[in-house]
Amino acid sequence: MLGSDINPDNLPQHIAIIMDGNGRWAKLQGKPRVFGHKHGVTAVREVTEAAAELGIKYLTLYAFSTENWSRPSIEVNALMSLLVETVRKELATLNKNNIRLMAIGDLSKLPDKTRESLYEGIENTRNNTRMTLVLALNYSARWEIVEAAKKIADASIRKEIDPNVLEAQDFSNYLSTRDIPDPELLIRTSGEQRISNFLLWQIAYSELFFTPVLWPDFRKEHFLAAITDYQSRERRFGKTSEQILKTS
Ligand code: IPE
Ligand code: IPE
Ligand code: MG
């Protein structure tokens, strides 16, 4: 049985992952960085499958940040082609496992082929209900927040909303994650301990888990270990430990 140490009653609904370390993984083997990205796909497949089997409802993977455009063009192009290829190849498996594909980020700036295969994947899996796999592509949290602010300003000029009564929950409704609960757990691989412009608003109260494992080496057992660690934490949301223990 998958993850027998895991308490099925205390699973995160949403797990977000900053998949990092592909370049270093490749370098360790004397290979070009792109080799690491290709092997990263195996980790994506394993983790997606494990998450669905466990009953996680949303899995968000940071695949390409807005800042990643500043990498050498050979790497950017390879990543964009890899995305097309992966979405096409994995489509049947996504459907077999009843997984819905979604994307967040500024998709309009992606190469046409990448965007088209992504839309095809989203369209072909839209009725799946077991889990939603969200790819963050050309994503930046500050971009997302500014976009939300622009939409709010616009709606307020058109007198559709009154900004004076706007609350945090209303603001969330203008983000690209509006129908998705905030992640309870955020994992980053490769030993880096930073957020790199990912889901800044949504991780306000997420538990953070950092592992030295490089993304292409990340497997089910590492994923389960992160969830077990999450389950050992006391989420206090500003309250005292005594208050939490009394209500649980
Ligand atoms: C993460 O691995 C994948 C992307 C950012 C697309 P990196 O490519 O950042 O790998 P390192 O951090 O250079 O090792
Ligand atoms: C963050 O990784 C982006 C993705 C995982 C897609 P980076 O490797 O680009 O992050 P920094 O630049 O080292 O912070
Ligand atoms: Mg990196």
Side-chain angles (χ1 to χ4, degrees), residues 41 143 197:
V41 176
W143 164 82
N197 214 352

Side-chain angles (χ1 to χ4, degrees), residues 18-20 62-65 68 71 188 194 196:
I18 303 175
M19 311 183 285
D20 199 11
Y62 203 4
F64 193 87
S65 74
N68 288 147
R71 291 190 179 196
R188 182 169 190 150
R194 54 176 172 265
S196 305

Side-chain angles (χ1 to χ4, degrees), residues 3-225:
S4 45
D5 299 346
I6 289 178
N7 172 5
D9 299 326
N10 183 23
L11 281 175
Q13 277 194 85
H14 182 181
I15 299 179
I17 307 183
I18 303 175
M19 311 183 285
D20 199 11
N22 295 355
R24 278 163 284 167
W25 186 88
K27 197 171 177 191
L28 281 171
Q29 338 226 349
K31 296 275 172 42
R33 296 178 56 84
V34 173
F35 186 73
H37 297 315
K38 286 196 175 138
H39 280 264
V41 176
T42 312
V44 169
R45 195 179 299 126
E46 274 227 10
V47 168
T48 305
E49 207 178 280
E53 274 175 43
L54 273 172
I56 307 295
K57 295 314 274 180
Y58 298 88
L59 177 69
T60 299
L61 302 178
Y62 203 4
F64 193 87
S65 74
T66 305
E67 290 77 14
N68 288 147
W69 292 113
S70 19
R71 291 190 179 196
S73 59
I74 185 163
E75 182 173 347
V76 171
N77 294 341
L79 276 167
M80 291 301 150
S81 311
L82 188 63
L83 266 159
V84 177
E85 212 180 287
T86 308
V87 172
R88 295 227 164 110
K89 266 201 202 148
E90 301 297 322
L91 203 55
T93 317
L94 289 176
N95 275 325
K96 195 184 88 199
N97 290 316
N98 194 11
I99 299 170
R100 176 170 72 127
L101 186 67
M102 240 189 87
I104 55 171
D106 187 359
L107 306 182
S108 71
K109 305 265 163 47
L110 294 174
D112 292 348
K113 269 199 176 152
T114 309
R115 195 180 43 253
E116 282 158 17
S117 82
L118 197 63
Y119 281 158
E120 203 181 303
I122 293 169
E123 182 55 31
N124 274 292
T125 59
R126 58 195 270 262
N127 295 321
N128 294 343
T129 53
R130 189 181 184 199
M131 184 180 86
T132 301
L133 173 65
V134 185
L135 294 182
L137 271 173
N138 189 21
Y139 176 86
S140 137
R142 286 185 172 174
W143 164 82
E144 183 187 37
I145 292 169
V146 170
E147 285 303 301
K150 286 192 213 161
K151 284 181 207 149
I152 290 167
D154 199 45
S156 131
I157 290 167
R158 284 186 279 108
K159 306 260 184 263
E160 287 166 14
I161 58 162
D162 175 3
N164 295 309
V165 298
L166 200 75
E167 303 215 9
Q169 185 49 49
D170 305 314
F171 191 91
S172 299
N173 290 335
Y174 288 87
L175 297 171
S176 48
T177 50
R178 70 193 143 272
D179 299 320
I180 304 177
D182 289 342
E184 293 92 336
L185 172 62
L186 171 72
I187 301 171
R188 182 169 190 150
T189 59
S190 88
E192 306 299 352
Q193 302 192 6
R194 54 176 172 265
I195 301 301
S196 305
N197 214 352
F198 192 40
L199 301 178
L200 293 177
W201 173 278
Q202 297 87 340
I203 61 167
Y205 254 108
S206 302
E207 295 297 327
L208 310 181
F209 183 86
F210 298 104
T211 168
V213 177
L214 301 174
W215 180 252
D217 288 331
F218 197 80
R219 290 292 173 272
K220 284 185 187 177
E221 73 248 36
H222 303 114
F223 185 62
L224 300 178

